[in-house]
Amino acid sequence: MTTTSTELQDRLATRFLRYSAISTQSDSAATVVPSCQGQWEFARLLAVELEEAGVRDIHLSDTCVLTARIPSTLPDDVRAPVIGFCTHLDTADSGLSPIVNARIIEHTGGDIHLGEDQWIRRKEHPEIDAYVGQRILVTDGTSVLGADDKAGVASVMEAAVRLMADPMAHPEVYLAFVPDEEIGLRGVRTMDLARFPVDWAYTLDCCERGEVVEATFNAAYATVVIEGVAAHPMSAFGVLVNPILVAHDLIGRFDPTQTPECTQGREGYIWVDAMHADQSVATVDLNIRDFDRTRFEERKEQIRQIVDQVRAAHPRARIDVTFEDVYANLEDSKTPTNAIATRRLLDAMAAVGVEPIHRSMRGGTDGSWLSAQGIFTPNFFTGAHNFHSRCEFLPLPSLECSHRVVMELMRGASS
């Protein structure tokens, strides 16, 4: 195992704390990209830091996609693969405060007191026992920590700054920082791929030390709009069609065992994510997820069939359903040629003494979209735990390991 560096951990922690102080909680109700002003503030800060480090071709798009290039220091006649790193600017809205008050604590064992009456309890989160004696980043219990994905941003930014100051020969590297990943990968879909001309790329958007992700869900949204017939209760007999009750009928026809809380591993689901209703119209939002493409399409067809059944049961209601694909399974884009991205990643992890933990992610990353566009983009760890919760925490030695893997990839891609 590579010896840890307190100085390096301090630099990474300082960078993370600077970034986490900017509120970048994305808003799914917004109709523009980015969905909050904080993401502009964050992107502009990163652009300044990159410029000060001497990074080239820094560009901030009108949708807050920041791209940049670290020039090659190899001889002109040496052709080496060009790699990229993509991390996201936003943090998730989990119904908590958008203001993050992060701090470093020394974990001496037992429960971790966050603030007020908020704790990370060993009974609920036994994973904290693995980090006794380590410094970890936590919140004050009022928000998510935002390691998803500011830990990834901090790891890549520190590597970019160090690489620009490093005389060691290295190939060309591209960077991308994108908004609104947490609300359906909205930002990366606006990315000008001509500004990210890489052979392959990596995202840093998952959890504990060692995690490697080459499989993600296929994902889609379905929206069912039910228009009823409004009437005053005194004259409602034979007239009123209550769209809320029709929506309940619709929801009740789905298999209650095929939901997020009842599935695991590579099992898919249909999730009734939200309902908005009044006496005239009800809207039901459904998330469709599956690793297998055939089953994924079958789940869409199941929704169509249920909508048809509900139409037949409520002929006076008008019911429409629309679908929107969000991202595809990363592993479907892997080929014998681009599998070199994973081999290089595993070599980099071995070089810093990190044992890989291969996971199928029950979610998606910006790399899911990039891979579908022809840029295979596996995902690897930042070291954080409990994303999207007030109990999120980030051990500094794990963040250091993530950063060292990034440095190995940036410097060793020509090997």
Side-chain angles (χ1 to χ4, degrees), residues 94-115:
S94 298
L96 302 172
S97 171
I99 307 300
V100 176
N101 296 305
R103 70 188 192 281
I104 303 169
I105 67 165
E106 192 87 35
H107 181 35
T108 57
D111 298 339
I112 296 173
H113 183 228
L114 300 176

mmCIF file of all heavy atoms in Angstrom, residues 94-115:
data_model
loop_
_atom_site.group_PDB
_atom_site.id
_atom_site.type_symbol
_atom_site.label_atom_id
_atom_site.label_comp_id
_atom_site.label_asym_id
_atom_site.label_seq_id
_atom_site.Cartn_x
_atom_site.Cartn_y
_atom_site.Cartn_z
ATOM 1 N N SER A 94 -32.024 16.246 -1.674
ATOM 2 C CA SER A 94 -32.584 15.156 -0.875
ATOM 3 C C SER A 94 -33.565 15.667 0.166
ATOM 4 O O SER A 94 -33.824 15.011 1.167
ATOM 5 C CB SER A 94 -31.461 14.370 -0.190
ATOM 6 O OG SER A 94 -30.602 13.783 -1.138
ATOM 7 N N GLY A 95 -34.098 16.863 -0.073
ATOM 8 C CA GLY A 95 -35.031 17.447 0.870
ATOM 9 C C GLY A 95 -34.347 18.055 2.078
ATOM 10 O O GLY A 95 -35.004 18.367 3.070
ATOM 11 N N LEU A 96 -33.026 18.227 2.003
ATOM 12 C CA LEU A 96 -32.253 18.814 3.090
ATOM 13 C C LEU A 96 -31.807 20.218 2.683
ATOM 14 O O LEU A 96 -32.101 20.687 1.597
ATOM 15 C CB LEU A 96 -31.050 17.925 3.406
ATOM 16 C CG LEU A 96 -31.376 16.482 3.805
ATOM 17 C CD1 LEU A 96 -30.099 15.654 3.889
ATOM 18 C CD2 LEU A 96 -32.126 16.446 5.134
ATOM 19 N N SER A 97 -31.065 20.865 3.549
ATOM 20 C CA SER A 97 -30.602 22.218 3.266
ATOM 21 C C SER A 97 -29.664 22.226 2.059
ATOM 22 O O SER A 97 -28.815 21.334 1.923
ATOM 23 C CB SER A 97 -29.873 22.791 4.473
ATOM 24 O OG SER A 97 -29.251 24.020 4.154
ATOM 25 N N PRO A 98 -29.764 23.228 1.186
ATOM 26 C CA PRO A 98 -28.810 23.344 0.078
ATOM 27 C C PRO A 98 -27.460 23.890 0.524
ATOM 28 O O PRO A 98 -26.491 23.854 -0.236
ATOM 29 C CB PRO A 98 -29.504 24.320 -0.873
ATOM 30 C CG PRO A 98 -30.360 25.161 0.010
ATOM 31 C CD PRO A 98 -30.822 24.254 1.113
ATOM 32 N N ILE A 99 -27.396 24.389 1.744
ATOM 33 C CA ILE A 99 -26.150 24.944 2.282
ATOM 34 C C ILE A 99 -25.394 23.844 3.008
ATOM 35 O O ILE A 99 -25.912 23.217 3.937
ATOM 36 C CB ILE A 99 -26.426 26.103 3.259
ATOM 37 C CG1 ILE A 99 -27.323 27.154 2.605
ATOM 38 C CG2 ILE A 99 -25.129 26.706 3.740
ATOM 39 C CD1 ILE A 99 -26.750 27.767 1.356
ATOM 40 N N VAL A 100 -24.155 23.597 2.583
ATOM 41 C CA VAL A 100 -23.335 22.538 3.152
ATOM 42 C C VAL A 100 -22.318 23.137 4.113
ATOM 43 O O VAL A 100 -21.524 24.009 3.731
ATOM 44 C CB VAL A 100 -22.609 21.736 2.054
ATOM 45 C CG1 VAL A 100 -21.686 20.684 2.660
ATOM 46 C CG2 VAL A 100 -23.621 21.084 1.123
ATOM 47 N N ASN A 101 -22.342 22.674 5.343
ATOM 48 C CA ASN A 101 -21.357 23.069 6.349
ATOM 49 C C ASN A 101 -20.511 21.842 6.676
ATOM 50 O O ASN A 101 -20.802 21.094 7.598
ATOM 51 C CB ASN A 101 -22.050 23.596 7.601
ATOM 52 C CG ASN A 101 -22.837 24.866 7.334
ATOM 53 O OD1 ASN A 101 -22.291 25.848 6.838
ATOM 54 N ND2 ASN A 101 -24.129 24.860 7.645
ATOM 55 N N ALA A 102 -19.499 21.635 5.865
ATOM 56 C CA ALA A 102 -18.647 20.449 6.015
ATOM 57 C C ALA A 102 -17.483 20.762 6.956
ATOM 58 O O ALA A 102 -17.052 21.904 7.089
ATOM 59 C CB ALA A 102 -18.126 20.006 4.656
ATOM 60 N N ARG A 103 -16.965 19.703 7.559
ATOM 61 C CA ARG A 103 -15.806 19.868 8.434
ATOM 62 C C ARG A 103 -15.069 18.527 8.525
ATOM 63 O O ARG A 103 -15.612 17.483 8.177
ATOM 64 C CB ARG A 103 -16.220 20.338 9.821
ATOM 65 C CG ARG A 103 -16.962 19.307 10.649
ATOM 66 C CD ARG A 103 -17.498 19.930 11.935
ATOM 67 N NE ARG A 103 -17.960 18.939 12.894
ATOM 68 C CZ ARG A 103 -19.122 18.305 12.850
ATOM 69 N NH1 ARG A 103 -19.959 18.545 11.856
ATOM 70 N NH2 ARG A 103 -19.456 17.430 13.791
ATOM 71 N N ILE A 104 -13.842 18.600 9.029
ATOM 72 C CA ILE A 104 -13.027 17.400 9.235
ATOM 73 C C ILE A 104 -13.099 17.012 10.702
ATOM 74 O O ILE A 104 -12.967 17.861 11.588
ATOM 75 C CB ILE A 104 -11.555 17.651 8.859
ATOM 76 C CG1 ILE A 104 -11.433 18.122 7.411
ATOM 77 C CG2 ILE A 104 -10.723 16.391 9.076
ATOM 78 C CD1 ILE A 104 -10.050 18.629 7.056
ATOM 79 N N ILE A 105 -13.312 15.734 10.946
ATOM 80 C CA ILE A 105 -13.252 15.228 12.317
ATOM 81 C C ILE A 105 -12.278 14.056 12.375
ATOM 82 O O ILE A 105 -11.973 13.428 11.351
ATOM 83 C CB ILE A 105 -14.633 14.779 12.838
ATOM 84 C CG1 ILE A 105 -15.123 13.540 12.058
ATOM 85 C CG2 ILE A 105 -15.642 15.897 12.783
ATOM 86 C CD1 ILE A 105 -16.284 12.826 12.730
ATOM 87 N N GLU A 106 -11.794 13.761 13.540
ATOM 88 C CA GLU A 106 -10.991 12.561 13.786
ATOM 89 C C GLU A 106 -11.952 11.505 14.311
ATOM 90 O O GLU A 106 -12.587 11.703 15.350
ATOM 91 C CB GLU A 106 -9.918 12.858 14.820
ATOM 92 C CG GLU A 106 -8.853 11.785 14.927
ATOM 93 C CD GLU A 106 -7.715 11.988 13.947
ATOM 94 O OE1 GLU A 106 -7.353 13.151 13.679
ATOM 95 O OE2 GLU A 106 -7.203 10.969 13.464
ATOM 96 N N HIS A 107 -12.075 10.394 13.580
ATOM 97 C CA HIS A 107 -13.022 9.361 14.005
ATOM 98 C C HIS A 107 -12.347 8.454 15.025
ATOM 99 O O HIS A 107 -11.465 7.656 14.689
ATOM 100 C CB HIS A 107 -13.515 8.566 12.808
ATOM 101 C CG HIS A 107 -14.515 7.507 13.160
ATOM 102 N ND1 HIS A 107 -15.448 7.671 14.153
ATOM 103 C CD2 HIS A 107 -14.722 6.256 12.644
ATOM 104 C CE1 HIS A 107 -16.191 6.587 14.250
ATOM 105 N NE2 HIS A 107 -15.765 5.714 13.340
ATOM 106 N N THR A 108 -12.747 8.571 16.269
ATOM 107 C CA THR A 108 -12.124 7.811 17.355
ATOM 108 C C THR A 108 -12.900 6.555 17.723
ATOM 109 O O THR A 108 -12.522 5.837 18.651
ATOM 110 C CB THR A 108 -11.988 8.700 18.602
ATOM 111 O OG1 THR A 108 -13.284 9.197 18.974
ATOM 112 C CG2 THR A 108 -11.057 9.877 18.319
ATOM 113 N N GLY A 109 -13.992 6.297 16.979
ATOM 114 C CA GLY A 109 -14.797 5.118 17.250
ATOM 115 C C GLY A 109 -16.160 5.491 17.786
ATOM 116 O O GLY A 109 -16.401 6.607 18.248
ATOM 117 N N GLY A 110 -17.097 4.547 17.704
ATOM 118 C CA GLY A 110 -18.445 4.785 18.186
ATOM 119 C C GLY A 110 -19.270 5.603 17.223
ATOM 120 O O GLY A 110 -18.929 5.770 16.047
ATOM 121 N N ASP A 111 -20.398 6.129 17.720
ATOM 122 C CA ASP A 111 -21.266 6.970 16.905
ATOM 123 C C ASP A 111 -20.575 8.298 16.613
ATOM 124 O O ASP A 111 -19.733 8.772 17.396
ATOM 125 C CB ASP A 111 -22.587 7.243 17.621
ATOM 126 C CG ASP A 111 -23.387 5.972 17.899
ATOM 127 O OD1 ASP A 111 -23.134 4.950 17.213
ATOM 128 O OD2 ASP A 111 -24.248 5.999 18.796
ATOM 129 N N ILE A 112 -20.960 8.913 15.498
ATOM 130 C CA ILE A 112 -20.392 10.205 15.117
ATOM 131 C C ILE A 112 -21.464 11.271 15.288
ATOM 132 O O ILE A 112 -22.530 11.200 14.654
ATOM 133 C CB ILE A 112 -19.882 10.190 13.664
ATOM 134 C CG1 ILE A 112 -18.730 9.188 13.516
ATOM 135 C CG2 ILE A 112 -19.427 11.580 13.240
ATOM 136 C CD1 ILE A 112 -18.270 8.991 12.083
ATOM 137 N N HIS A 113 -21.183 12.247 16.124
ATOM 138 C CA HIS A 113 -22.125 13.337 16.347
ATOM 139 C C HIS A 113 -21.923 14.393 15.267
ATOM 140 O O HIS A 113 -20.824 14.929 15.103
ATOM 141 C CB HIS A 113 -21.921 13.958 17.727
ATOM 142 C CG HIS A 113 -22.909 15.033 18.051
ATOM 143 N ND1 HIS A 113 -22.548 16.250 18.560
ATOM 144 C CD2 HIS A 113 -24.264 15.061 17.912
ATOM 145 C CE1 HIS A 113 -23.620 17.000 18.742
ATOM 146 N NE2 HIS A 113 -24.676 16.300 18.351
ATOM 147 N N LEU A 114 -22.989 14.680 14.524
ATOM 148 C CA LEU A 114 -22.913 15.661 13.455
ATOM 149 C C LEU A 114 -23.267 17.057 13.937
ATOM 150 O O LEU A 114 -22.619 18.033 13.589
ATOM 151 C CB LEU A 114 -23.840 15.239 12.302
ATOM 152 C CG LEU A 114 -23.539 13.890 11.660
ATOM 153 C CD1 LEU A 114 -24.575 13.552 10.601
ATOM 154 C CD2 LEU A 114 -22.136 13.878 11.058
ATOM 155 N N GLY A 115 -24.337 17.151 14.738
ATOM 156 C CA GLY A 115 -24.790 18.434 15.225
ATOM 157 C C GLY A 115 -26.220 18.328 15.705
ATOM 158 O O GLY A 115 -26.991 17.502 15.201
#
